[in-house]
Amino acid sequence: MRVGRIVLSGLAVGVLCLGISLMPGGDAARAATEPAADALPPKGPVGSGYFRGLVAADLDGDGKRELLSSVLATGQIYIWRTRKEGGWTEPSVLATGGEVRTITIADLDGDSLPEIIVAIRGKESGIEIWKNLGNLRFRRVAGPGRGEVFADVAAADFNYDGRPDLIAVKEEPGAQGGLRVWLNLGADTWQAAPAPRAEGPYHSVAVADLNQDGILDIVAAGDGPGGGLRAWLGRDKHLNWGRPNQLSEGDFWGVTVADLNGDGIPDLLAAGKNTGIQVWQGLGKGTFNRMASPASGGSFFFAVAVDRDGDGRADIVASTMDGKGLRYWRQDATLGWIAHRLLAETGLFHSLVAADLDGDGRLDLGAATHGEGVAVWPGFGKPLPGQIPGEKAAKHDLPLAPGTRMPDLASGRPVPLPQPARPAKLEGAFPEKRLPGEYVIGPGDVLTVAIWRGVTAQSQQVQVSERGTVSIGLVDDVQAAGLTIKEVSDLLKEKLKKFIKNPRVDVVMTRFGSKIVRVMGAVARPQTYNVSATVTLLDAILLAGGHLPTTPERPGGDLTHVSLRRGGRTRTVNILRYISGAAGEADNPDLLDGDLVFVPESSSELIEQKRVYVFGEVRAPGVHPLTFNMRVLDAIARAGGFLDYALQTEVRIIRGDAERPEVVHADIEAMLKRGDRRGDQLLKPNDVVFVPRTAVGDITDFIRKSQPILDFLFYPQRFKDAYSINSNLLKFDLGGPSRATAERGGEGTFTPGTRTVTLTEVQ
């Protein structure tokens, strides 16, 4: 038993002696695990099928809530009622215009019958609204955001006119950003409104008055450099937003706002990939404390709070994204969070809901599953303190992790996290005008500078000094390091105008100097490297001999969480997204002098278990444990599901020795649409599942294109010998969408062969 920096009371020690073990979290959380118990059996309306969104609402005004969920394969929405004698009615079915990403409920027209609002992707991507006609009859009407794909949508009255407005988040934001807001003008009319500045991508959004000033605020969960867990405070009732407050970095997938401790102040529950469950207690006026976590590690989709044991304290249920079922923690006044084995410990679960579906006064727990239908555990717990009208809540503090106080998020005066000072802009530098991959001069580089006088040129070679400057006779100490060749040429022209009328200057790179980058972690040769040209993150890993492959004896390198440290800040990069062709150059950034690249070790479970690889048009390409009876669709679900341009009819399995690979066709679309399970094949150890965006075509050509990927996965040192710096050889990409398709996707024009670069600044 390991014990972190925790002081145990006599009572706690006594409990431990009875068989409850204390497990420290990375944030000094107090947690315990009770002895194993038989899992509670679910009693859901359907026991098979792939479902995603899940909500509960009284749609027909009879005082009882209906249960709604969406079928991943068909885009249909199922609506179930509970029977008086127990069980469920046959579902009412709504056929949407595409794959349903999320569902929310709000009375948009003020007739006391709530509408169903869904975010869909497909031929008619956007927000789709089903107008409630009564008695579970609905009519589809046009919603806002046509042509865009949204991950989540929520309703709130942003302009305080009595009508719910809409806010949505995007997982792949375009020029308009990752957050969108529309005002409800009535008569099924929507008007785009100012939204907070957010780069995204984001997966979940919630609206609440976080600082209790009477103005609605926004909190969103996302991933990547522009994501994490962020909050925007409303300045006034005219949709004037403050700048983003970053509560936490990391890849988050779900955020829930609830009063967890009965003090009437909103608290936050956040879940994500490798972030565990984060709990934030609101202290009032926009101040939040990061509290002890029931799980400081692990990957989760969503978390909800419910008082399971009726002690007046919030307990937590979370859905996992790694096949480990549902997790449940009870809150104890002495021990903190105690893990219970009451729910399914295996399976893929997504959306969760806690609501009284049968009218017995207790909350039922519902979960949408990937393959096992919709599960419901009746009477799972009581509402949280303060949620029952007339019942007085007993205020209490949540378990606290020491040293994690959050600064005030005061409206108009947000306090950002400490940031290093920005360096002064170099004279002559214009990064916004540079071409993608354009070389930046460094100390030690040798330049040839030609100054023309008429038709005669006077040339000289100069070496960039350690201070980053050059001297050419008429002018001394001109800045060169940190500039491109063109920028140095333009700067010299400007300096020479004092001595020469209309000077003409040509600058040529004669010899590259030395740029130092360090590559550490699970690579073949971790050390410091002197490089003499522009290198990318992938170049640096291969210079170090490539990542260490995972073997039964030791963990290999985890290419989904490579750290790039620059100027005191660290950025996490999933290089497999670039290799798979599912991402742009931002996932393989150019390195600067002094950068540190760290490749962490892969999860220990990949040593103990056999594994599979998933690439292509999926959200999180990478390496995953091969579980019992794992099929193609299970592996794709482990990788986050399909992206927008995934061609489900062309999925391929590459198996066998890398020298002589076998290609197997897996038609997933046939399985999802027609129930033909022949395409959803059982996987074998070391299978590579590839989801293309265009037709595979000639198998011989496909094997030729896939060979570098197989060599990189299984023989990284051998592949390094065939790889040249700045090569596109290692990119599993069979093509892209047409121009018209890309424009319908809301991402602007698309020119074949053009390199798309996302400009990011890492301080």
Side-chain angles (χ1 to χ4, degrees), residues 109-355:
D109 53 10
D111 63 354
S112 300
L113 293 175
E115 276 66 50
I116 301 173
I117 306 149
V118 294
I120 62 172
R121 70 173 178 183
K123 294 182 179 180
E124 302 178 12
S125 296
I127 305 299
E128 187 174 275
I129 298 172
W130 288 83
K131 193 175 183 65
N132 195 336
L133 305 179
N135 198 26
L136 296 190
R137 294 179 298 110
F138 297 87
R139 174 171 55 86
R140 183 165 59 182
V141 298
R146 291 291 300 274
E148 298 182 88
V149 178
F150 299 99
D152 193 18
V153 59
D157 186 5
F158 288 109
N159 59 349
Y160 307 91
D161 64 352
R163 290 189 293 260
D165 309 306
L166 297 180
I167 181 171
V169 292
K170 302 183 67 177
E171 289 177 327
E172 296 181 0
Q176 294 175 305
L179 287 173
R180 301 290 304 280
V181 175
W182 301 276
L183 296 181
N184 182 359
L185 304 183
D188 302 326
T189 304
W190 300 91
Q191 176 183 331
R197 178 173 57 87
E199 297 177 1
Y202 291 95
H203 306 290
S204 178
V205 64
V207 181
D209 184 3
L210 299 177
N211 58 348
Q212 297 184 300
D213 63 351
I215 308 296
L216 290 177
D217 312 307
I218 297 169
V219 59
D223 58 16
L229 186 64
R230 298 197 176 202
W232 295 264
L233 297 177
R235 296 179 188 269
D236 51 43
K237 294 187 177 182
H238 303 286
L239 285 85
N240 183 16
W241 305 102
R243 56 183 175 176
N245 296 269
Q246 186 163 25
L247 278 75
S248 185
E249 294 182 343
D251 296 345
F252 289 89
W253 281 77
V255 60
T256 302
V257 179
D259 179 10
L260 301 176
N261 60 338
D263 62 357
I265 302 173
D267 309 306
L268 303 176
L269 273 179
K273 185 177 181 181
N274 299 313
T275 63
I277 305 295
Q278 289 195 6
V279 182
W280 295 83
Q281 180 177 329
L283 304 182
K285 297 185 178 179
T287 302
F288 285 84
N289 265 359
R290 167 84 176 272
M291 313 305 286
S293 171
S296 57
S299 298
F300 300 88
F301 276 120
F302 292 100
V304 296
V306 59
D307 182 8
R308 162 71 181 169
D309 53 7
D311 64 353
R313 293 178 178 269
D315 309 313
I316 294 176
V317 179
S319 58
T320 66
M321 62 171 62
D322 52 6
K324 296 181 180 179
L326 296 177
R327 300 284 302 278
Y328 161 63
W329 299 269
R330 180 175 63 85
Q331 185 187 163
D332 184 88
T334 303
L335 296 177
W337 301 108
I338 301 176
H340 284 255
R341 298 177 179 175
L342 288 177
L343 302 171
E345 295 186 352
T346 60
L348 291 172
F349 291 78
H350 200 270
S351 302
L352 298 175
V353 65

Side-chain angles (χ1 to χ4, degrees), residues 145 431 754:
T754 300

Side-chain angles (χ1 to χ4, degrees), residues 483-541:
L483 307 183
T484 65
I485 297 296
K486 182 179 184 306
E487 289 169 350
V488 169
S489 177
D490 292 342
L491 183 58
L492 288 174
K493 289 178 185 178
E494 195 64 31
K495 299 285 187 182
L496 289 170
K497 284 182 179 179
K498 298 179 181 179
F499 311 99
I500 304 173
K501 184 178 181 180
N502 298 324
R504 176 187 169 191
V505 180
D506 291 334
V507 179
V508 178
M509 175 64 71
T510 302
R511 187 175 70 251
F512 290 104
S514 180
K515 181 185 296 182
I516 296 176
V517 296
R518 290 174 293 163
V519 186
M520 300 297 171
V523 292
R525 295 187 300 274
Q527 64 187 53
T528 299
Y529 291 88
N530 296 325
V531 295
S532 57
T534 298
V535 296
T536 66
L537 180 66
L538 179 57
D539 294 330
I541 293 173

